[in-house]
């Protein structure tokens, strides 16, 4: 189990499929722009403020989020690609 | 539905048309300078200050705004181009 | 109408004319150094300080100001060139 | 014995093995991506906050952690390679 | 009249003359190092501190000052070259 | 005698010897990686915090320390090479 | 007379002589490393802290000091080379 520290968020990237006009579904390829959508799989307890109080992170496990283009960085856990973000890298929750 | 975090603002870019002297309306092209006008389509609740209080964002959904030249970054949502800005990237509201 | 946010200031650049010795007046050209003089056409309400109080901007609409060389950035509004500055980019008011 | 200062953390890098389909176990090589997993072997007492109070580090000796890609830097102690991280370089504890 | 804002200082550069051994006085040329001496011709009221109080600038009009090598930037006012400095760019007053 | 200011620390670099398999001891050469071990020969009284109180440095004269790879910079005193570090450059005390 | 502002310090660089084995004294040349020793010839009153109190500089006129390699910058006063440092550039006082 992953227990992130501070406001670290671990995301599973959500790949966008491309549907051609004839209805063919093409998986995301290296040439296509990377998706900026991810699913939250682990969240830290939040950063401490100047008074030593925790500021809880505003996303929770399972949330589908949009993240900032160059914010998160890649991390490999058990040979699978994940993304590591800080709360400020998360633009919005998609509901 | 998009629920931005902190002071993130999602903008729909407004393209400027070019009217030639003879009255012909030309759409914005790649060669032309990019417009710096956008329509607010989603706004976060605002950042927290040092005391843990929210500072509400001063733009609201539907506002037409001017944004700073290199401030916002592009984001693709459902294959449509949007812009992600922070409040400080917004120069002015056009009324 | 433009309603700047925070301490954003919109300036109309004032071009300097060049008078030759024989009295000929030459308009500013691309080769000449850019003027650093502008007329304030819109001003924001000022930034918030740490206590959440507004710090009013010290220039007002109509002021002729000197601005810092690389401070303001260009913005096109209705196809006319303006400059966007923050208060710190304004060096002095010319009276 | 190593006594780290402030929030310095000394890590022993954990190399990932690669198992081929036929069951052959290959050690991590230079060509493979570096692992981002490490074992905590020494931890400082934590940084001082503005009031002069220690903020204890949230990892302890023996913890297996994921660290940020470019966070820690290498250090050689008695001819063996270790990693030096600050608390903010630690993404998560693996339990 | 120039009314600088905050801690902006407008300086008139003082050129150094070079006296050759035979007593010939040579004006500063482009090849020579630029002088770092200037005369204060306008001073702002000072910056505001965190409590909203003005911190008066420690130089006054007429002072001859030494300024930091790359601190001030050039500004042309009515076709004459001046220098714009912030208080931190002023090394010392020459008395 | 050297009296460092603030949290400056002067270190004498400790060179690592290389012992070959046959027992030959080779001194550190330019080609080898630089050691990151040093002996503290002078320590400042510590930095002042925001309240004007000294924060004592956590190393003392004689301590053998590990320092951060690119932290300290070289200084020549009486033609001998030393290292100048700030407290934050010291990773750990070796006991 | 020079009256430095804030925590500016004006130093006279102290050149190191090189004594050859036969006792010949060679002055510092351009090829040799620059000395990092200087004599304090003028000191400012110190910076203001957040409460508006002066923090006196810890060196005084006449002190021989070691300074940080790239800290001070050169300044020419009456055609003589001096160095301008801030207090943080001074590593230690040599007594």
């Amino acid at each position: 189990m992953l227990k992130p520290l501070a406001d670290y968020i671990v995301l599973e990237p959500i790949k966008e499929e491309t549907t051609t006009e004839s209805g063919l579904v093409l998986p995301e390829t290296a040439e296509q722009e990377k998706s900026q959508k991810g699913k939250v799989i682990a969240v830290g307890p939040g950063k401490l403020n100047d008074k030593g109080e925790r500021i809880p992170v505003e996303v929770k496990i399972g949330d589908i989020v949009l993240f900032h283009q160059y914010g998160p960085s890649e991390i490999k856990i058990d040979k699978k690609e994940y993304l590591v973000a800080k709360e400020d890298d998360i633009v919005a929750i998609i509901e």
Side-chain angles (χ1 to χ4, degrees), chain A:
Chain A
M1 213 190 85
L2 276 181
K3 273 184 53 182
L5 299 190
D7 67 337
Y8 274 117
I9 297 164
V10 182
L11 297 172
E12 195 177 278
I14 296 176
K15 300 216 168 123
E16 307 267 16
E17 289 171 337
T18 300
T19 313
T20 64
E21 284 195 6
S22 58
L24 214 74
V25 178
L26 304 172
E28 192 182 64
T29 64
E31 291 77 34
Q32 288 178 294
E33 278 179 79
K34 284 267 176 81
S35 160
Q36 286 172 251
K37 219 185 263 184
K39 188 177 171 184
V40 177
I41 67 154
V43 188
K47 276 194 292 196
L48 293 174
N49 68 7
D50 289 351
K51 291 175 202 150
E53 302 158 348
R54 288 262 168 229
I55 309 165
V57 178
E58 314 234 345
V59 300
K60 57 180 193 303
I61 291 179
D63 279 353
I64 305 299
V65 297
L66 281 177
F67 51 84
H68 216 269
Q69 209 167 352
Y70 301 109
S73 70
E74 296 175 355
I75 199 166
K76 216 173 224 165
I77 308 169
D78 298 332
K79 304 187 196 337
K80 213 181 141 187
E81 279 294 347
Y82 291 93
L83 294 162
V84 170
K86 291 204 160 195
E87 184 170 14
D88 190 52
D89 298 327
I90 306 299
V91 170
I93 301 169
I94 304 176
E95 291 193 334

